[in-house]
Amino acid sequence: MLERSPLARLPDRALKYGLTALAALILILILYFFIRLFSEARPAFAAEGVLGFTFHDNWNVSVEKYGALPLVVGTLITAGLALLMGVPIAVATAIYLTELCPRRLLTPLTILVELLAAVPSVVYGLWGIFFLAPKLQPAEQWVADRLSFIPFVGGGIVTIPNYFIAGLILAIMILPIVSAIAREVMMTVPADHKEAALGLGATRWEMIRMAVIPYCRSGIVGGAMLGLGRAIGETIAVTIVIGDAPQLGKQLFGQGYTLAAVIANEFGEATGLHRSALFAAALVLFVLTLLVNALARLFVLRAARAGKGPAAAPTGGAGDLAAATAAGA
Amino acid sequence: MSPDAAPPEQMLQPGENPNPGSAGASAGTPTAKLESTTAPPQSVLKSAPTVELEKLRAFYGSSEQVKGIDLRFPANQVTAIIGPSGCGKSTMVRCINRMHEEIPGARAEGRVLLDKLDLYDSAVDVIAVRRAIGMVFQKPNPFPTMSIFDNVAAGLRLTARRGDLHHRVEAALRSASLWDEVKDRLSTPGVGLSGGQQQRLCIARSLAVDPEVLLMDEPCSALDPIATLKIEELIDQLKQRVTIVIVTHNMQQAARVADRTAFMLGGQLVEVGQTKEIFTNPVDPRTEEYVTGKFG
Amino acid sequence: MSTPDITGDRLARFAVSPRRRRADRTARGLLLTATLVALVPLALVIYYLLIKGLGAWSWSFFTTDPTGNTFFKSSSIGGIRSAIVGTIEMVALASVIAVPIGIGVALWLVEYGKGSRFAAVVRFFVDVLTGVPSIVFGLFIYIALVVGTGSTYAGYKGSLALSLLMLPVVIRSAEVILQLVPNALRESALALGAARWKVVFRIVLPTALGGMLTGVLLAVARAAGETAPLLFAAGATNKETLNLGEFMNSLPTQIYKDVTSPTESVVNRAWGAALTLVTMILILNLIARLIARRSRLA
C-alpha cells in the first residue's frame, strides 16, 4: 500500500531524466563547437604548424603569412598591464569597504563599485579613444621623454591608440570582478583572528596586515586570475583603443594588437587561409583563457579547501551574483 | 615586592562574604609548583595592578547587557566570573580591555580603573590599553598563516623590528609551559598543534608583550580534560606576574583556580567573595541555587 | 578620582609610537583614496555620455529608424528605433532560450546530480563556458549556422550567440541561489511524502525565485551590452524588423558603426545611442538589486 503507482512516479522520472539530458546536451554542444572551431582552424595550422602559428612573429595578411606571436604577446602585454594597474586598486577598495568604511556609506559605495561592471565594453572603448587617450597623451609623452632610457617605456612618439590605454581600460573593466571576489574572501575572515590582533594592541592597519591579508592571499590571487581571464578575452573595448599594428610590441605608448582585436577587425572580409588563420587565433585565445581560468579555480578552490577561504557557495546577495555574472569575458 | 605578600586593603564589597581569615589565604600558592619553571620574567619583580570596575554598564545599541557593576579584581590574584549563559560575563570582561566597543553599535559607560587610572578616560589610548591587558579567547585562535615563532612574536613585531625577538619568544613560551614541547619546531605552523597546545600558544602570544592583566574568556571550554588541567596549572603560576580574570561556566574549574569568585545574573553582580565561601557558604539565595546546579 | 597622569602611569610603556600612528593614518588615507580613484572612471564615463549623448535625445530619436543617409544633414539621418527594437528582440529571444535551460541545468546540478562524477564534469564545462571570450561565441554561431548552412546572418542567430553567453551566467547564479535554499526545507517536504518534482516546483523554486530573478536580470543586462557576439551573427541593417530571420540591428552594433562616421550628426547619434544603452543597463541593474534586497535568501 505504500507503493506509488508508476503513473504517479512519472513526473519525477521525467524531470530527472529531462534535466540530465539537458546537462548532457550542454556538454555535447561545447564539444561540438570546439571541434568545429578546430576543423576551421586546421588549414592555418597545416600551413604554419601549430607551434609555428603560435610562436612565429610574422602576421602579414598580404603575403598570407600567419605567425601569431605579435598577437599573443600583445594580448599578454595588455592583460599584464590591466593586472598591474587594476588589482592593487581593486584589493585596496575591497579592504576599505570591508574593514574601514563607515556603515552608512557601505551600501552606496559598494553599489557604485559594482556599477563599473554595468558599463558595456563598447562604451568603455569609445570613452577610452575619444576622451581618455587624448587627455592622457601629453602626460604619456612626458613620461616617454623623461624615461627614455628605460626600454619599452621610453622613447618614440606616443600614439593615441596604444598598449597603455588598452591596459588602463582593461584595468577599469576588471576592477569590479577582482574587488567583488576580494571582498567575498575578506568577509570570511573569522572575527576571532581580527580580535586576537586587536587584543595585542595593534592599530587598525596593523590588524589588517596581521590577520586579514595573509588569510586572504589565495582567494585574492584566484580573483586576480579571473580578472586576468577576462582581460585576455575582452574584445570590443580593446579593439577600439589598441590600433592595428600586428608587430611585436616595442613600445608601451605605441600601437599594438591582440588576438581578440585582430579577429574583430579582420574577420569581416577575410577569406580562405586568412579566415582559417583567424579561427586559429580564436582557438589560441580560447585555450589561453581556459588555462588561466582553470588556474584561477585552483587557487580559489585551494583557499576554500584549506578552510581558510570562501566556501564554494557565497553568502548570497546581489554583490555575489555580480561577481558570478561578471566573471566571464 | 614579594608575590606572597598580603593583597592591599581588602575592602568589603556589596554582597561579599565577611571572612576575617581570608586576608592572606588566597595570595599564597604552594611553592612546590614553581620548581619546574626557569627564571621568571621581568614583571614578576613588580606587582601587577588592581583592576576595579565602577558602575560599569555595557550596551549593544539600545539593549543594556551589563547593568551597573562595581567589582574589584585584586592584584596578583585569579578572580573567576561565573553565571548562566547570557548573563553578561563575557561582555563585562571585554569592557576591561575595551574590546567591547569594537562591535558596531556597542558602547560602555562607567569607569574601569587600572590602579588609579581610568581606562575610559578620553586621554587614554585604546591601543595601549589593549596591549597592557591581554586576552585569551574561548576557541584557540593562533594566526593560521604564521609559524609558532611568528605567532608569539606577532605582538612584539608591532613595536620592535629586530632585536631580541628570539629571547623574548622563548621566555614567553616558557611562561606558557610550552617551550619544551615546541622548541624543536618553532618554524612549523601554529595551527599544527593540538587544541591544548594551541591555547597555550595563544597565552604565550599574549604574554610576549608583557601585559599587566590577563583576561581569559572560557579558555578551556573547547579543550579536553588533560589540556584543561595543564592550563589551570599554568594560571596558577601566571598570577605571580599578572592579575587574572577568568570567565568560566565550569564551577569546578572556578573552585580549582580562582582565589575569588563573582557570580553574575542578568547583567548584574549578585555576589562576590573568596571562592571557598561562594561555593560552600553563599550569602545570596540565587548564588546558592546556581552553585548547587538548580539552574544555568 | 583625579585625571590620570599619563606620563608616569602603568600604561606608559605600552604607548603607541608616533611612527605607528602615522603609518596607520597613512594607510587608511591611501585605502580611501584608492576607493575614490576606482570610482573616478565611472563618474567620468557617465558625465561624458551625458554631455555628448543627451543632446541627441529627442522624440524622433527614439521613434525613427536610421535612414542610412549618413552624408546629409541631421534631419535626414534618422533615429535609433530599429537598434532599440533589435536589441530588445534579440535579448528577449536569447533569454527565452538561456533562462529555462540555465535554470534547468542548475536545478539538475543541485537537486539531482549532486556529487556525482557527471555533475563534476558538467560543472567543469560550465566553468569553461564562463571563460570563453565573447567574440568566440559569435564565431561558434558563425561556424555552425552561417558558414555551415550557406545562409546568412539573422536576428535569431544573434540571439543564439547571446544565449550562449548568458547560459553560464544563469547557470552559475542559479546554482548559487539554489544551494542557499536550506536543506531542511526540502527534507521536511520530502518527509511529508511529497514527490521530488513537487518539492522542486512548489517549494524550492518559489523560495529561490527572487535570487534567480536577480541573476537573470544581470545576465540580461550583460547580454544587452555585448557587441562582439553579434558582429558575425546578426548582420547589420538599418531597418526595423520584427522578423528575427532577417538581418537585425542592435544598439551596440549601431554605436560601433556610427561612431567612426565623418558626419558629426551621425557621431552624435552614436553617443545618444550609447547613453540609451547605458541607461537601459543601469535600470536593469538597479531593478536586479532591488529584487535581491527583497529576496528571502539574500
Side-chain angles (χ1 to χ4, degrees):
Chain A
M1 274 317 297
L2 291 176
E3 282 278 314
R4 271 166 65 214
S5 74
L7 209 60
R9 277 188 298 196
L10 195 59
D12 241 351
R13 299 170 114 222
L15 192 65
K16 179 167 179 203
Y17 291 126
L19 291 182
T20 316
L22 204 61
L25 194 75
I26 305 294
L27 284 183
I28 297 176
L29 206 67
I30 298 172
L31 281 170
Y32 168 72
F33 282 131
F34 193 69
I35 294 174
R36 283 303 302 269
L37 192 64
F38 188 70
S39 74
E40 290 290 332
R42 191 105 70 79
F45 283 136
E48 307 272 347
V50 175
L51 288 177
F53 177 81
T54 319
F55 294 112
H56 267 170
D57 174 12
N58 190 359
W59 187 271
N60 198 331
V61 179
S62 45
V63 302
E64 296 252 307
K65 283 304 266 162
Y66 299 111
L69 190 64
L71 309 172
V72 174
V73 169
T75 306
L76 292 176
I77 293 179
T78 49
L81 284 172
L83 276 190
L84 212 67
M85 295 191 272
V87 170
I89 305 257
V91 173
T93 307
I95 296 179
Y96 180 76
L97 289 173
T98 43
E99 299 294 334
L100 298 172
C101 186
R103 283 212 293 183
R104 309 166 286 123
L105 289 181
L106 186 58
T107 318
L109 279 182
T110 311
I111 293 183
L112 284 177
V113 172
E114 287 170 0
L115 279 184
L116 277 171
V119 179
S121 37
V122 66
V123 173
Y124 270 129
L126 295 180
W127 175 74
I129 200 77
F130 285 117
F131 173 82
L132 197 63
K135 273 256 148 58
L136 289 181
Q137 193 188 19
E140 292 173 12
Q141 190 65 66
W142 185 91
V143 171
D145 293 337
R146 283 303 138 90
L147 298 181
S148 57
F149 52 91
I150 303 182
F152 184 65
V153 173
I157 313 280
V158 168
T159 56
I160 292 217
N162 60 51
Y163 281 112
F164 176 71
I165 293 287
L168 189 55
I169 295 286
L170 281 178
I172 298 174
M173 293 176 81
I174 67 172
L175 207 142
I177 310 167
V178 179
S179 179
I181 295 186
R183 252 179 297 135
E184 272 278 311
V185 181
M186 286 183 199
M187 289 201 280
T188 64
V189 176
D192 260 18
H193 298 312
K194 296 199 271 191
E195 290 189 339
L198 287 175
L200 288 172
T203 61
R204 197 108 219 148
W205 169 237
E206 287 165 348
M207 182 269 283
I208 293 174
R209 255 183 33 216
M210 228 197 278
V212 176
I213 296 183
Y215 191 89
C216 300
R217 245 198 289 264
S218 292
I220 292 182
V221 172
M225 304 211 75
L226 279 176
L228 178 65
R230 175 77 202 268
I232 289 179
E234 175 51 46
T235 312
I236 281 291
V238 176
T239 309
I240 297 177
V241 298
I242 193 118
D244 54 10
Q247 285 87 37
L248 216 40
K250 292 238 172 9
Q251 224 198 317
L252 180 63
F253 298 118
Q255 289 193 37
Y257 230 169
T258 67
L259 288 166
V262 74
I263 299 171
N265 273 336
E266 297 184 3
F267 194 81
E269 280 123 27
T271 51
L273 192 61
H274 186 192
R275 169 173 287 191
S276 169
L278 291 175
F279 277 118
L283 203 60
V284 172
L285 184 61
F286 186 29
V287 169
L288 209 60
T289 47
L290 210 74
L291 285 173
V292 169
N293 273 294
L295 264 172
R297 307 232 179 268
L298 209 71
F299 269 97
V300 179
L301 204 65
R302 209 214 299 165
R305 213 179 277 141
K308 313 187 306 177
T315 45
D320 314 301
L321 293 180
T325 58
Chain B
M1 203 175 152
S2 141
D4 285 336
E9 15 157 39
Q10 194 82 336
M11 275 190 335
L12 278 186
Q13 300 192 257
E16 178 170 344
N17 243 333
N19 194 333
S22 69
S26 57
T29 324
T31 42
K33 282 200 189 146
L34 291 179
E35 281 159 8
S36 55
T37 58
T38 49
Q42 278 281 50
S43 56
V44 141
L45 303 178
K46 61 182 200 300
S47 93
T50 305
V51 178
E52 183 154 3
L53 309 179
E54 244 182 53
K55 296 196 179 26
L56 180 67
R57 302 167 74 192
F59 300 84
Y60 290 100
S62 52
S63 149
E64 189 173 356
Q65 282 293 317
V66 174
K67 303 178 181 166
I69 297 218
D70 297 292
L71 180 55
R72 195 151 138 281
F73 305 100
N76 292 101
Q77 287 190 29
V78 179
T79 308
I81 320 279
I82 60 173
S85 324
C87 69
K89 17 186 228 293
S90 285
T91 310
M92 177 188 78
V93 161
R94 289 160 137 259
C95 289
I96 300 179
N97 68 346
R98 297 188 61 174
M99 283 295 285
H100 174 73
E101 57 207 58
E102 275 302 310
I103 298 174
R107 73 175 204 285
E109 287 174 11
R111 287 145 67 92
V112 173
L113 300 169
L114 191 71
D115 278 345
K116 295 279 188 295
L117 174 64
D118 178 14
L119 298 179
Y120 277 86
D121 188 279
S122 52
V124 169
D125 181 11
V126 152
I127 299 191
V129 169
R130 294 195 186 133
R131 199 173 170 98
I133 302 183
M135 188 157 204
V136 177
F137 303 82
Q138 196 167 336
K139 201 160 89 66
N141 58 0
F143 296 120
T145 55
M146 297 193 201
S147 66
I148 295 176
F149 185 89
D150 289 333
N151 257 289
V152 181
L156 293 171
R157 287 206 168 101
L158 293 174
T159 49
R161 273 298 141 84
R162 298 146 204 279
D164 214 4
L165 279 183
H166 204 98
H167 188 77
R168 295 177 70 173
V169 167
E170 178 178 339
L173 283 169
R174 282 189 192 276
S175 304
S177 302
L178 192 58
W179 174 252
D180 290 319
E181 292 169 56
V182 301
K183 65 182 180 219
D184 298 321
R185 44 174 172 147
L186 290 176
S187 54
T188 62
V191 292
L193 299 172
S194 73
Q197 290 173 320
Q198 283 187 26
Q199 192 64 303
R200 276 179 282 149
L201 179 61
C202 293
I203 295 176
R205 179 177 66 188
S206 296
L207 290 177
V209 297
D210 211 10
E212 312 252 299
V213 178
L214 192 60
L215 306 175
M216 309 181 91
D217 189 354
E218 305 201 34
C220 303
S221 60
L223 305 177
D224 64 83
I226 308 279
T228 301
L229 260 144
K230 279 213 179 121
I231 294 199
E232 288 175 6
E233 279 173 20
L234 188 54
I235 293 177
D236 211 47
Q237 296 167 20
L238 287 177
K239 72 181 181 190
Q240 302 190 39
R241 67 184 260 196
V242 289
T243 303
I244 299 184
V245 177
I246 175 168
V247 173
T248 179
H249 63 261
N250 180 340
M251 289 182 279
Q252 287 77 23
Q253 179 170 79
R256 283 192 296 266
V257 301
D259 301 307
R260 285 158 55 83
T261 300
F263 171 54
M264 273 183 72
L265 189 58
Q268 292 174 316
L269 177 66
V270 173
E271 186 174 344
V272 61
Q274 299 302 312
T275 305
K276 208 151 62 118
E277 292 302 316
I278 293 282
F279 282 112
T280 58
N281 197 9
V283 166
D284 194 298
R286 291 172 291 176
T287 316
E288 175 167 3
E289 279 182 22
Y290 183 72
V291 304
T292 54
K294 294 227 177 77
F295 70 93
Chain C
M1 301 272 185
S2 55
T3 338
D5 164 26
I6 303 291
T7 50
D9 73 341
R10 300 196 86 106
L11 285 189
R13 66 187 173 97
F14 300 106
V16 179
S17 74
R19 182 182 55 84
R20 284 172 65 197
R21 242 185 255 286
R22 239 178 304 130
D24 184 54
R25 254 201 310 264
T26 316
R28 291 206 215 193
L30 281 179
L31 291 173
L32 174 59
T33 313
T35 308
L36 296 176
V37 163
L39 294 179
V40 162
L42 185 65
L44 288 178
V45 167
I46 295 188
Y47 182 64
Y48 192 69
L49 277 177
L50 284 172
I51 291 197
K52 303 217 58 158
L54 213 49
W57 279 15
S58 65
W59 184 248
S60 66
F61 180 73
F62 290 110
T63 54
T64 56
D65 295 331
T67 60
N69 292 340
T70 54
F71 293 105
F72 299 97
K73 291 211 306 269
S74 60
S75 53
S76 59
I77 62 164
I80 57 167
R81 184 178 63 173
S82 64
I84 298 180
V85 171
T87 290
I88 295 180
E89 280 185 58
M90 283 198 283
V91 171
L93 179 60
S95 307
V96 164
I97 300 173
V99 172
I101 296 183
I103 295 188
V105 174
L107 263 179
W108 181 83
L109 279 173
V110 175
E111 304 286 336
Y112 290 98
K114 226 204 284 231
S116 71
R117 237 4 216 342
F118 187 47
V121 174
V122 169
R123 214 175 260 120
F124 172 72
F125 274 101
V126 171
D127 275 353
V128 165
L129 263 187
T130 337
V132 172
S134 49
I135 194 166
V136 176
F137 284 128
L139 289 182
F140 279 161
I141 296 298
Y142 184 81
I143 300 174
L145 295 177
V146 178
V147 159
T149 61
S151 57
T152 63
Y153 302 132
Y156 76 89
K157 297 180 186 176
S159 287
L160 283 173
L162 288 181
S163 65
L164 281 179
L165 187 107
M166 290 174 69
L167 200 59
V169 173
V170 176
I171 296 180
R172 189 88 91 52
S173 62
E175 193 187 353
V176 163
I177 292 291
L178 285 172
Q179 278 171 337
L180 282 177
V181 174
N183 234 356
L185 218 60
R186 293 185 182 87
E187 288 175 352
S188 40
L190 286 171
L192 287 171
R196 182 121 223 167
W197 69 272
K198 274 220 179 101
V199 175
V200 166
F201 279 102
R202 297 270 168 81
I203 305 219
V204 176
L205 279 182
T207 317
L209 202 60
M212 289 205 289
L213 200 55
T214 308
V216 164
L217 282 178
L218 289 175
V220 167
R222 174 92 190 278
E226 284 290 339
T227 323
L230 299 177
L231 288 177
F232 315 121
T237 175
N238 285 322
K239 71 180 201 310
E240 171 185 341
T241 166
L242 291 171
N243 181 359
L244 283 156
E246 303 182 334
F247 281 27
M248 188 157 266
N249 202 0
S250 68
L251 275 170
T253 325
Q254 181 78 42
I255 297 171
Y256 195 45
K257 218 175 26 154
D258 277 352
V259 86
T260 49
S261 162
T263 315
E264 188 186 332
S265 53
V266 174
V267 174
N268 287 341
R269 182 175 68 188
W271 289 112
L275 185 61
T276 312
L277 182 59
V278 169
T279 311
M280 281 169 62
I281 295 181
L282 279 180
I283 293 181
L284 278 172
N285 256 281
L286 290 173
I287 297 180
R289 244 165 250 288
L290 264 160
I291 296 184
R293 196 166 302 182
R294 276 134 127 274
S295 154
R296 285 173 264 179
L297 288 172

